[in-house]
Every structure is written in structure tokens, then in C-alpha cells.
Amino acid sequence: MILQDKMTEILPAWRERARKLVKEQGNVRVNDFTIDQVFGGMRDVEVLVTDISYVDPATGIRLRGYTIPEVLEKLPKAKSATMPYVGGLYYLLLTGELPTTEQALAVEAEWKARAAIPAHVENVLRAMPDETHPMTLFSQGVLALQTESQFVKRYSAGMKKDEYWIAALEDSLNLIAKLPVLAAMIYCRKYSKCEVGRADPGLDWAGNFAHELGVANKEYEDLTRLYMIIHSDHESGNVSAHAVHLVGSALSDVYLAFAAGMNGLAGPLHGLANQECLGWLLSVYKKFNGVPTKEQLEQFANETLAAGKVIPGYGHAVLRTPDPRFIAQYEFGKKYFPNDELFQLADLVYQVLPGVLKAQGKAKNPWPNVDAISGALQYHYGVREFDFYTVLFGVSRALGVTANLIWARALGQPIERPKSMTMAMLEEIANTKG
Ligand code: CMX
């Protein structure tokens, strides 16, 4: 299989690199941390390693070293599409190399062959009450799929350590293949908007996801490809990525680890933020009975800040420029529906907000992040159920976190087990050193 063959080829050199670094320079100190960081969620503490993505404060996320514009330009695309095959992105995330069209299509073919969902998964979802949040259903659906884990079967049969990554790759390909089908099943059932299981075998993984959501529109297929690519990975320290890594480090299989990550993504401080952004845009639209003037928006934003509230979609913990994932979506909207009023409002906010935040002087980054516009684009194409947006994010995030998990198993990364201290110990250190 294409990804297994390629990784088998490149893995020995990576293993040797990791082995040599730890053996010969393992006692070199990387950095110290402060009491602020111990109490502050380990913000900025550099203790994780991944080669799959890196958030550069100036240029935004780099996927295997490539910026978002480079990824969108260099990955192979179908003739009928303006956005790349997501199968090509997965090839890049796993191997570090840009795929040819054939290689991207080979990954797409793997996913297509593995997309069927066992009947018990739908039964699990059906058993839940109507008001269940889509992220709860998504996580439950993933756990129900865990009966498929090849890792579990092979581990109990005495699989060699060297082969853990192969079983993790198998599980990851199966999981990713099934996630759009699962997500669409949740969407169609919960909102009664589409017929479950309307796959189009002629479409690629992301295009088919758009189709299964019941949006029969070539532009929306491209938007789905774009969305899946830009949300795929954002280093290893964010809650969902870190949860997957942590749980996976106990040799829990890909399904168990991914479900843990999705439970983190469901939190309002993480993946749920995208629905808050659209809610804020719609509330502004409603308040002004349409798109306000620049002056009205400025005044409203200042009042919001004066009331001690945050403006959703603006600011970032690491980035210090407009998020390139925002820009990619902004350009998509400008190209396809510049006259959509909600898009025009998002555009006006982009013109006005950074100035307001700069003048207030608190936010380190006054620029828009990925969430500032993603909901407005979904809304345009009729996917208007806010609480489903985090599920879209979750399907995409599977690409990055599973790539990381496969590599963690391939490099033999151990169980994660940081050490705790008591408050008294910290006080003693502070009194001695402070
Ligand atoms: N509106 C109002 N105030 C903001 C702000 C915003 N959009 N962004 C930052 N600030 C404020 C902070 O609340 C903080 O105020 P206090 O000192 O009173 O606590 C101050 O500016 C400094 O914050 P910061 O160091 O610039 O930002 P953080 O790294 O602490 O937080 C983030 C980053 C994203 C949580 C924050 O900018 C925010 O709350 N933004 C709005 C919510 C949002 O868009 N979330 C989605 C994030 C998407 C992602 O992470 O990818």
C-alpha cells in the first residue's frame, strides 16, 4: 500500500536521527520554564516534538514546511476542481514529500475502499435523544467504530513493536475513510436535511463529503476540500492534538485516541469557537438590520470591548499576522460570492476590527484567526446549523492528529508522564531562587 511502502522507505533514517539525538545529546537543556507557565496551562513550554506542522508567528501554519498558499498551489488537483485532493495532503503529512497526482489518487482510492460503516454504529447514534450535541454523537460514533481496530487485534496476537505504526496506519486510513460518512450521517439525521448514505463514487474524499451533506454544488465541494486542508493540523500542543497524542501514548488505538481528541475539540475554548464567531456576526447583522456602516461597526466594537467582552475570531495565542487560513477562506468568498451580505459583513469586520483592537492596545494580535470567516462560508452554502461546525473541524483534524500518531508509534515515542509538584515545593523554589 502506497503510504506504508513510502514510510517503510523513509523510516530508518528518521529512527536513526531520533535515536542519535537522544543518545548523544539527550542531556542538553532545551529551555527552562516559569511558575507562570506551570500554573498557566504550560503556555509556550517547548516540550513536544513533531515534524508534521509548525505554527510560525509570522507566516502561520506550515504543513511539512509549506505555508497554506504553497500547499494550495503545489498539491495536485482534479481538472474540475480549484482546490487540491485531500488525499495528496495526507501523503504530504505522512511522508514529508509533495505527491504526484497518481500518489494523491492512490490515497483517495484507499479511503474510497474503506468507507463503509458497520450497521451497529448507526444503531448507537439512533439510541441517543434528539437533543444530543453533534460532537457527542461524533465522539460516540468514533468509539462505536473502535470494534474495527486492527491495532487491537494485532496487539493481542503479539504484534512486534516495530509494526505498531503499520497497524496505526491501517486504523487511521479506515477511520479517515469513514469519518465523512459518519459526520454526514449525524448531519442528515439530526437536521433531517438530507438522505443518509448518498455517496457519489465519482467524487474524491472531500467532494463526496460535501455531496453527502446534501449540498449539490461544485463550489461547495471545493470549499470542503479547502476547509479540510486548512483545519488539518496546528502543531501538537493544542487540546485536541495533545489529547490524541497523550491517549495514544498509552498504546490506546487510533479510535480511542481520536475520540479523546474530539472530546477536547468540543470545548468552547477550542473547536467550539467557530460557532461563536458566526453567532457574533449574525448578532451584529440582526442588530443593525443588515450590514452596518464602518462608523456604526467601530462604535459597536468599542462598546463590546468596553463591556469586557472579547470579539470572536480575532487574536491568536501564537500568530502575529492575519491567519493565512482566514485569508484563504476570505479569498474564496471574494471570488465566489462577494455580494453575500454576511460575507460583506465579515469583510467589513476585517477592515475595522484590527484598528479597534490596536487602539485598545490589549490584544497581542489584532488580526483575524481561522474562525472569523469559516462559518459565514458554510452559511452561504446552506450549512447553517452552527453546532455542526465543530464536527466539520473534527473530520479535518483527523488528518493531522492521525499522521502524528502514526509517526509517534513509528519512532517508538513512550507513554507521556509529566511530573507534578506540590504548591509548597513551588513556593520553596520561588523563595530560594526568586
Ligand atoms: N477581543 C477582545 N480582547 C481580546 C481579543 C479579542 N478578540 N483577543 C485578545 N484580547 C485580550 C485578551 O482577552 C487579554 O485580555 P486580559 O489581559 O484582560 O486577559 C489581552 O487581550 C491579551 O491577550 P493575548 O495575549 O493577545 O491573547 P491570548 O493568547 O491570551 O488569547 C485568544 C488568544 C485567541 C484566546 C484571544 O485572542 C481571544 O479570546 N480571541 C477571541 C476568541 C477566538 O477568536 N477564539 C478562536 C481562536 C482560534 C485558534 O486558536 O485557532
Side-chain angles (χ1 to χ4, degrees):
M1 184 249 293
I2 184 161
L3 291 169
Q4 188 177 327
D5 293 346
K6 184 70 195 172
M7 277 192 67
T8 303
E9 180 194 322
I10 62 177
L11 198 49
W14 280 93
R15 282 184 169 154
E16 178 52 20
R17 225 172 125 189
R19 192 202 61 80
K20 193 162 175 264
L21 194 59
V22 174
K23 181 153 190 280
E24 294 175 13
Q25 288 155 309
N27 59 356
V28 173
R29 293 197 69 83
V30 179
N31 58 23
D32 287 321
F33 49 84
T34 61
I35 288 175
D36 258 354
Q37 289 172 316
V38 174
F39 274 92
M42 294 187 284
R43 180 71 75 90
D44 295 335
V45 180
E46 291 164 315
V47 286
L48 298 169
V49 55
T50 175
D51 285 89
I52 288 167
S53 71
Y54 180 76
V55 182
D56 183 328
T59 56
I61 186 70
R62 285 177 177 270
L63 299 169
R64 286 288 188 177
Y66 295 101
T67 62
I68 290 292
E70 285 167 349
V71 165
L72 297 179
E73 188 217 316
K74 290 178 192 293
L75 285 180
K77 303 176 180 71
K79 283 203 178 65
S80 57
T82 61
M83 292 294 159
Y85 288 115
V86 179
L89 173 82
Y90 203 55
Y91 186 97
L92 173 66
L93 295 181
L94 275 181
T95 70
E97 291 179 20
L98 288 168
T100 61
T101 302
E102 290 66 36
Q103 288 164 331
L105 284 173
V107 180
E108 291 279 347
E110 286 290 341
W111 287 339
K112 204 161 286 179
R114 297 161 184 257
I117 289 199
H120 72 266
V121 176
E122 198 166 354
N123 295 337
V124 168
L125 300 181
R126 272 183 205 277
M128 295 304 295
D130 289 350
E131 64 275 18
T132 311
H133 192 281
M135 278 305 281
T136 309
L137 295 174
F138 190 55
S139 176
Q140 285 172 318
V142 171
L143 281 178
L145 280 170
Q146 193 260 354
T147 51
E148 302 278 291
S149 174
Q150 294 302 309
F151 189 94
V152 169
K153 290 189 181 84
R154 293 179 62 180
Y155 188 82
S156 54
M159 168 172 52
K160 285 194 287 182
K161 266 191 178 176
D162 253 16
E163 293 175 6
Y164 286 177
W165 72 269
I166 299 173
L169 172 61
E170 273 295 310
D171 278 359
S172 298
L173 288 169
N174 285 326
L175 174 70
I176 294 169
K178 296 173 198 320
L179 283 182
V181 186
L182 172 67
M185 189 183 277
I186 292 167
Y187 185 75
C188 295
R189 283 227 176 291
K190 187 161 174 66
Y191 310 107
S192 308
K193 283 184 71 174
C194 35
E195 212 181 296
V196 174
R198 277 184 65 250
D200 179 344
L203 284 169
D204 57 312
W205 179 82
N208 188 50
F209 186 19
H211 179 79
E212 291 215 38
L213 291 174
V215 188
N217 184 322
K218 287 278 158 209
E219 280 170 29
Y220 188 66
E221 286 170 17
D222 265 329
L223 178 63
T224 307
R225 293 181 188 105
L226 173 66
Y227 188 102
M228 292 296 127
I229 289 172
I230 62 179
H231 287 84
S232 62
D233 206 34
H234 221 231
E235 286 187 357
S236 304
N238 64 76
V239 170
S240 52
H242 193 195
V244 174
H245 176 77
L246 173 68
V247 174
S249 81
L251 295 188
S252 302
D253 62 70
V254 167
Y255 299 87
L256 295 174
F258 181 67
M262 290 305 96
N263 296 339
L265 194 73
L269 294 186
H270 191 17
L272 224 61
N274 58 8
Q275 75 179 55
E276 278 170 26
C277 290
L278 181 61
W280 187 80
L281 276 186
L282 287 171
S283 72
V284 175
Y285 188 85
K286 198 168 159 204
K287 178 179 167 62
F288 293 100
N289 223 352
V291 181
T293 64
K294 193 168 174 270
E295 291 69 30
Q296 283 172 322
L297 183 63
E298 242 164 33
Q299 192 187 340
F300 179 71
N302 277 317
E303 284 165 9
T304 307
L305 294 179
K309 295 183 195 155
V310 297
I311 312 251
Y314 282 74
H316 199 271
V318 181
L319 274 174
R320 294 297 174 254
T321 49
D323 190 333
R325 301 172 301 169
F326 167 88
I327 299 293
Q329 296 180 95
Y330 174 75
E331 283 169 357
F332 190 96
K334 257 233 135 36
K335 179 170 167 187
Y336 291 112
F337 43 90
N339 297 324
D340 176 296
E341 285 213 312
L342 204 57
F343 176 77
Q344 288 182 339
L345 175 58
D347 192 0
L348 184 67
V349 175
Y350 178 36
Q351 309 310 323
V352 167
L353 239 290
V356 172
L357 282 170
K358 273 187 209 164
Q360 191 212 27
K362 266 170 74 176
K364 294 190 190 72
N365 171 25
W367 300 108
N369 60 52
V370 64
D371 294 331
I373 200 158
S374 58
L377 268 57
Q378 294 297 326
Y379 204 83
H380 174 80
Y381 290 106
V383 179
R384 295 187 169 179
E385 297 73 15
F386 297 12
D387 54 357
F388 187 71
Y389 293 171
T390 315
V391 176
L392 293 177
F393 188 172
V395 175
S396 163
R397 199 35 76 90
L399 300 159
V401 297
T402 59
N404 273 287
L405 206 53
I406 295 162
W407 270 95
R409 294 293 71 78
L411 294 178
Q413 287 185 0
I415 191 163
E416 195 175 289
R417 192 9 175 136
K419 181 87 181 75
S420 305
M421 284 177 282
T422 64
M423 189 104 81
M425 288 171 187
L426 280 176
E427 282 164 350
E428 198 183 325
I429 294 171
N431 291 336
T432 316
K433 291 191 179 172

